[in-house]
Amino acid sequence: MKFLRSFLDKHRPAFEKGGRLQSLHSLFAGIEAFLYVPDRVTRSGCAIRDAVDLKRTMSVVVVALLPALLFGMYNVGYQHHLATGGGGDFWSMFLHGFARVLPLIIVSYAVGLGIEFAAAQLRGHEINEGFLVTGLLIPMVMPVTAPLWMVGLSTAFAVIIGKEIFGGTGMNIWNPALLARAFFFFSYPSRMSGDKVWVDGLPDGMSVATPLAEASQGEAFAHDLGTMFWGLVPGSVGETSAFCILLGAALLLVTGVGSWKIMTAVAIGGAGMALLLQQALPETNPYSQVTVARHLLSGGFAFGAIFMATDPVTAAQTSAGKWVYGLLVGVMAILIRALNPGYPEGMMLAILLMNTFAPLIDWCVVQQNIRRRMKRGVSHVNRQPT
Amino acid sequence: MPTKIKLKRGFDIRLQGEADPNKVTRATSDLYAVKPTDFRALAPKLEVKAGDRVRAGDPLFSDKYRPEVKFTSPVSGIVEEVRRGEKRRVMAVVVRADEQIAYKPFDAPSLDRLTKEGLIALLLESGLWPLIKQRPYDIVADPGARPKGIFATAFDSAPLAPDYRLLLKDDARALEAGLEALGKLAPLHVNAREDQASVLPARLPAGARVHFFEGPHPAGNAGVQIHHLAPLGKGETAWTISLPDAALVGRLLLEGRVDARKRVAITGPEVTGPGYAETIAGARVGCLAEGGEGRRMISGNALTGDRVEEDDFLGFYHRQVTVIAEGNRPEFLGWALPGFGKLSMSRTFPAFLFPRRRYRADTNLRGEERAFVVSGQYEKVLPMDVLPVYLLKAILAGNVEKMEQLGIYEVAPEDLALCEFACTSKVPVQEIVARGIALMMKELS
């Protein structure tokens, strides 16, 4: 590794102020910080620091996404073979899916990181790690047939309008990956809500419905709960397998990177609302037939609950606020699904909606803290442990 | 009956280099100093110049705005220099010590004749008054205030902190006298740990109350303790002092002189044979421990202490020197590798699987500063009903009203030191809190 170090040290002057490649300074600094934890030492305050940083945290999320991503690639191939009637072994299916999904990932990272680097250079900031996760989330919530230029445009919209104009990572109001999906959804609706878009290489005249579409149209369910749990159903690239998503969830929970409060609250809110609708809707409404388990396993509910709703920047940040926020995400997701004739999926809009209200929820929690602190007695020795 | 308060939130950082209680050496220094920078928001007015002769207990400087608050020499000798920093700010008043210390005599009445006013006057005159700090703001107490209590901390929970039982081993009488006297200033609360209760003197003054605190750092911080015993509202004051400093007050009363001998824990992974040193307040750090290239010397503990060099001096409130390695080396893919042996509270590193392990931490920042991203992290290490991130944001925004509502009166930078340690985004938390306190003092003066 000496070679790498001396290579970086040798070329650093060119990227520094007044250097030949000064305009690429943020790129150089970003790559260097990626390869090496910087030699920076503490100046004031604590002399020692916890080894954790944002790169570590973000890379845990990336690893947590891998099972769902790899399965998604396999599923793309599997659905393709199923629809076209062709056979194939595991590897041919996986490689087919890999070849279809990889371009989406490359486009998402290239566009997003390009904008991030440019913004960092423009502002004289360091490059933030946020896009490491966003860049992988975007292809995972897209239909595999999404044209690459649309993916690129959606990514650019999400990064510029969703993040950079607010000040970059940590300042954004909405989850950037979901914003990309929302942009795509509303700009090119036929590419997202149509039946044919979910399976790659579908021959003319054939259509494959996602479990959600079946539910909304009151069709007979073609997929049993087991298939839906393992994930061999049509859908966005990364969202179909509840099992793989739960693997990721386990990693997020063990490492403490994802908030267990939000995940639990979303599940409770969703299940509660599904149960309520089952009872309250007239029997003519197809959603009165959808069980709690089917709701939680279909569409982007699981993926959203684990990877999207828990985004620490756009979720509520206070402890009590996380519960309220999570419950409302779950409730809204099912509510939008069932009571909205326009489109079958509700998770994306529910999370974006609650992202918008998260600061308000936190504000209420903070006000409550202030009131409680004002009311404290003069002396209370026997208090509950904190 | 002592009350018991159990705190769950917090974290004990386990570093290598704990002071060996059986190793007590004598460390005499050539130079001693009192540093105005040890006192938050102090504007010093010099009382001596280089070349002056002083006795132990003669004032070196005083508070420009409260001239009755004096800061006195811990030893006798000749003022060597007035060390100045940027913009001619006084950094230290340095005294070259005599072989034999000559003490300025103080007229200390016996304890039963001692009044509150008499005690305050004596402490101010002798330069021991600054040992008492006040909340809000964590500054030298205002002698004219009417505090709701004086809170004596009987243990230190910081990383590698000295064991007060050892610091006070030969000082039982002085401690008893000191607490007796302090009890005259305000209702006395002694905050101890149950398993270190032997540090308490056999006899406590009438009306004094003992509280047992249990839990990880920062359970030993006065701010945390006051928060649980008698939370401060606007306009209220509480005074704080550490138990070893209370013993210094006791010595003054018993001996009629400023006897500033101190036991100091010499700790840290870079110290060969960590132990305790018998010295005098303000000793030159180089006489206590070895620094040099590649080492960071800290007066105090690794979380809140001050960065010093060998020719700097022990802090006024410090009874600990920590030496750790400088971490000024880049680490290849340091964030990506599994990271066995790395100190972290985060379970993204395997450290949580080895709770007994001791770490050889260094001063590397372990990343770059970022915006607040991860939530819920600070709350885990702050056992107070305070929303730390909102308080910090109020400070950054300069919103005085919000700072007041969110608890600026209750916190000192040291109370949030663990937040800074644990922060994923490497936010300089203590610096921000200090800035907030400075802003409040300016706004309300």
Side-chain angles (χ1 to χ4, degrees):
Chain A
M1 287 312 119
K2 279 238 167 67
F3 159 74
L4 196 58
R5 187 67 249 168
S6 51
F7 178 83
L8 286 172
D9 288 339
K10 185 178 149 208
H11 290 282
R12 180 180 295 110
F15 292 94
E16 270 163 6
K17 210 165 181 168
R20 199 156 38 87
L21 299 169
Q22 187 191 336
S23 58
L24 293 177
H25 172 76
S26 71
L27 181 71
F28 179 84
I31 291 173
E32 188 184 12
F34 185 84
L35 289 172
Y36 288 90
V37 171
D39 54 2
R40 230 163 284 178
V41 294
T42 52
R43 293 174 295 110
S44 68
C46 298
I48 52 173
R49 296 301 176 95
D50 194 298
V52 75
D53 68 351
L54 213 48
K55 282 193 187 60
R56 182 81 174 185
T57 311
M58 293 294 181
S59 56
V60 168
V61 185
V62 169
V63 173
L65 282 167
L66 287 183
L69 178 68
L70 295 176
F71 179 86
M73 290 174 171
Y74 170 73
N75 190 40
V76 166
Y78 176 83
Q79 296 296 335
H80 170 76
H81 283 288
L82 204 63
T84 54
D89 59 357
F90 170 83
W91 281 111
S92 71
M93 293 192 201
F94 178 79
L95 287 175
H96 177 91
F98 181 78
R100 296 289 308 179
V101 175
L102 191 64
L104 296 179
I105 298 176
I106 291 173
V107 166
S108 154
Y109 271 122
V111 172
L113 284 180
I115 296 171
E116 289 260 341
F117 277 71
Q121 180 73 36
L122 222 62
R123 292 212 198 96
H125 280 188
E126 279 154 350
I127 289 169
N128 272 311
E129 291 80 0
F131 199 78
L132 284 182
V133 172
T134 308
L136 197 56
L137 281 172
I138 289 175
M140 289 178 78
V141 294
M142 293 283 178
V144 68
T145 55
L148 293 180
W149 68 269
M150 288 185 193
V151 174
L153 198 62
S154 308
T155 306
F157 174 83
V159 175
I160 296 172
I161 305 293
K163 210 158 90 171
E164 291 306 333
I165 62 166
F166 291 107
T169 301
M171 315 288 185
N172 45 314
I173 298 175
W174 299 288
N175 182 311
L178 274 183
L179 210 59
R181 185 177 148 115
F183 177 82
F184 187 96
F185 184 93
F186 289 110
S187 306
Y188 314 105
S190 68
R191 285 284 169 183
M192 178 76 88
S193 48
D195 288 347
K196 293 186 184 172
V197 302
W198 302 105
V199 175
D200 162 47
L202 217 55
D204 281 346
M206 261 193 78
S207 77
V208 176
T210 64
L212 266 180
E214 292 163 12
S216 69
Q217 283 145 29
E219 292 169 13
F221 300 128
H223 303 281
D224 62 63
L225 286 177
T227 320
M228 286 168 69
F229 176 76
W230 297 109
L232 289 172
V233 294
S236 297
V237 173
E239 70 175 19
T240 60
S241 171
F243 173 73
C244 290
I245 292 167
L246 287 176
L247 280 184
L251 180 65
L252 293 185
L253 292 177
V254 167
T255 54
V257 168
S259 162
W260 65 271
K261 286 176 194 151
I262 293 178
M263 293 183 198
T264 316
V266 175
I268 293 173
M273 197 63 209
L275 213 57
L276 191 71
L277 287 177
Q278 232 181 341
Q279 306 300 321
L281 287 175
E283 273 191 28
T284 48
N285 187 314
Y287 272 98
S288 66
Q289 306 301 318
V290 183
T291 60
V292 171
R294 187 164 281 271
H295 257 306
L296 299 195
L297 289 177
S298 57
F301 193 90
F303 192 82
I306 305 300
F307 294 112
M308 299 290 203
T310 53
D311 170 6
V313 174
T314 55
Q317 292 170 2
T318 53
S319 190
K322 284 175 184 168
W323 285 109
V324 176
Y325 161 89
L327 280 173
L328 288 174
V329 166
V331 166
M332 293 307 294
I334 304 299
L335 206 62
I336 294 172
R337 271 185 190 175
L339 301 185
N340 168 0
Y343 23 87
E345 178 56 294
M347 198 59 181
M348 169 185 87
L349 292 172
I351 295 174
L352 288 174
L353 183 71
M354 293 322 297
N355 281 173
T356 315
F357 285 109
L360 182 66
I361 297 172
D362 281 335
W363 185 84
C364 293
V365 176
V366 173
Q367 284 313 110
Q368 226 185 351
N369 174 272
I370 290 173
R371 272 201 298 277
R372 186 170 62 241
R373 295 170 45 74
M374 293 293 206
K375 273 199 293 200
R376 283 179 317 189
V378 173
S379 181
H380 40 138
V381 172
N382 298 311
R383 278 169 18 111
Q384 292 297 309
T386 306
Chain B
M1 253 314 268
T3 50
K4 288 184 193 177
I5 292 167
K6 196 172 169 170
L7 304 178
K8 289 199 181 119
R9 293 184 288 184
F11 186 66
D12 284 323
I13 297 174
R14 295 172 59 82
L15 296 179
Q16 290 176 10
E18 197 174 23
D20 178 359
N22 299 316
K23 191 184 166 210
V24 183
T25 51
R26 186 173 288 276
T28 29
S29 173
D30 43 354
L31 301 172
Y32 295 84
V34 185
K35 300 184 282 183
T37 50
D38 285 345
F39 310 94
R40 183 185 312 287
L42 174 73
K45 180 175 171 290
L46 289 172
E47 304 278 351
V48 291
K49 55 185 187 306
D52 285 2
R53 169 155 278 285
V54 291
R55 292 166 296 177
D58 277 329
L60 297 177
F61 56 89
S62 57
D63 185 337
K64 188 170 161 193
Y65 300 107
R66 294 185 294 185
E68 68 276 19
V69 179
K70 297 190 170 92
F71 301 82
T72 56
S73 176
V75 292
S76 65
I78 294 185
V79 176
E80 172 97 355
E81 62 166 326
V82 174
R83 207 176 277 181
R84 290 181 187 268
E86 278 173 43
K87 296 184 185 163
R88 290 190 45 76
R89 185 175 172 209
V90 179
M91 305 303 285
V93 180
V94 185
V95 177
R96 183 168 289 279
D98 295 335
E99 289 280 311
Q100 274 293 321
I101 297 181
Y103 295 95
K104 174 177 176 184
F106 289 94
D107 180 23
S110 72
L111 275 169
D112 45 331
R113 283 192 297 118
L114 188 66
T115 60
K116 180 180 170 184
E117 291 69 30
L119 177 62
I120 292 178
L122 178 63
L123 291 175
L124 285 168
E125 194 57 34
S126 62
L128 294 194
W129 179 259
L131 294 173
I132 303 174
K133 291 208 266 186
Q134 70 162 55
R135 296 297 168 101
Y137 308 142
D138 190 40
I139 52 173
V140 172
D142 172 8
R146 295 173 58 85
K148 58 202 277 187
I150 179 160
F151 296 82
T153 47
F155 68 103
D156 188 344
S157 55
L160 300 177
D163 185 337
Y164 280 8
R165 287 170 297 185
L166 207 91
L167 298 184
L168 290 162
K169 205 167 113 206
D170 308 319
D171 257 345
R173 266 190 69 224
L175 176 62
E176 205 173 297
L179 290 178
E180 179 79 44
L182 292 170
K184 294 177 192 276
L185 295 178
L188 177 66
H189 299 261
V190 183
N191 303 327
R193 254 176 70 153
E194 199 163 10
D195 57 349
Q196 293 180 13
S198 62
V199 74
L200 301 176
R203 207 174 53 82
L204 281 167
R209 297 179 67 184
V210 176
H211 312 282
F212 286 143
F213 280 83
E214 194 186 315
H217 187 61
N221 281 15
V224 172
Q225 294 165 353
I226 293 170
H227 177 84
H228 287 276
L229 295 172
L232 290 182
K234 188 177 179 172
E236 292 184 314
T237 318
W239 287 353
T240 67
I241 190 168
S242 78
L243 222 52
D245 285 340
L248 292 185
V249 174
R251 281 190 211 152
L252 171 70
L253 291 165
L254 296 177
E255 302 169 17
R257 60 183 190 180
V258 173
D259 177 359
R261 283 176 300 124
K262 253 186 183 185
R263 259 186 206 166
V264 179
I266 312 299
T267 63
E270 293 297 304
V271 174
T272 36
Y276 287 84
E278 192 90 60
T279 185
I280 299 174
R284 195 164 63 83
V285 175
C287 300
L288 300 172
E290 214 174 305
E293 186 68 22
R295 283 182 181 176
R296 169 83 59 96
M297 302 186 87
I298 301 156
S299 170
N301 65 63
L303 286 180
T304 62
D306 299 319
R307 178 182 191 163
V308 289
E309 306 294 336
E310 279 187 343
D311 64 344
D312 283 329
F313 303 90
L314 187 68
F316 188 79
Y317 300 101
H318 294 154
R319 285 186 164 76
Q320 181 181 6
V321 172
T322 310
V323 188
I324 54 180
E326 284 287 3
N328 51 356
R329 289 169 302 275
E331 187 190 0
F332 183 65
L333 290 182
W335 58 275
L337 301 172
F340 287 96
K342 275 197 185 149
L343 171 61
S344 179
M345 284 183 65
S346 157
R347 293 195 302 265
T348 58
F349 283 93
F352 73 101
L353 300 170
F354 310 99
R356 309 306 301 166
R357 196 191 155 112
R358 287 193 171 269
Y359 291 87
R360 216 192 137 80
D362 63 32
T363 63
N364 192 287
L365 192 56
R366 310 260 164 227
E368 298 165 299
E369 198 176 318
R370 292 285 182 266
F372 288 107
V373 169
V374 179
S375 62
Q377 211 173 14
Y378 291 7
E379 286 83 350
K380 277 188 205 152
V381 291
L382 183 67
M384 295 169 110
D385 187 17
V386 165
L387 296 169
V389 176
Y390 289 91
L391 175 60
L392 293 177
K393 286 183 176 175
I395 295 171
L396 290 172
N399 186 335
V400 172
E401 193 191 340
K402 269 271 143 57
M403 284 157 65
E404 202 167 60
Q405 292 174 338
L406 290 168
I408 190 75
Y409 295 132
E410 293 193 69
V411 299
E414 60 172 25
D415 299 329
L416 275 81
L418 271 173
C419 301
E420 178 170 303
F421 167 78
C423 183
T424 302
S425 297
K426 314 294 171 190
V427 173
V429 173
Q430 296 188 79
E431 213 175 282
I432 296 173
V433 176
R435 219 188 304 160
I437 290 175
L439 180 63
M440 288 309 293
M441 292 178 71
K442 196 173 136 222
E443 287 287 323
L444 296 187
S445 64

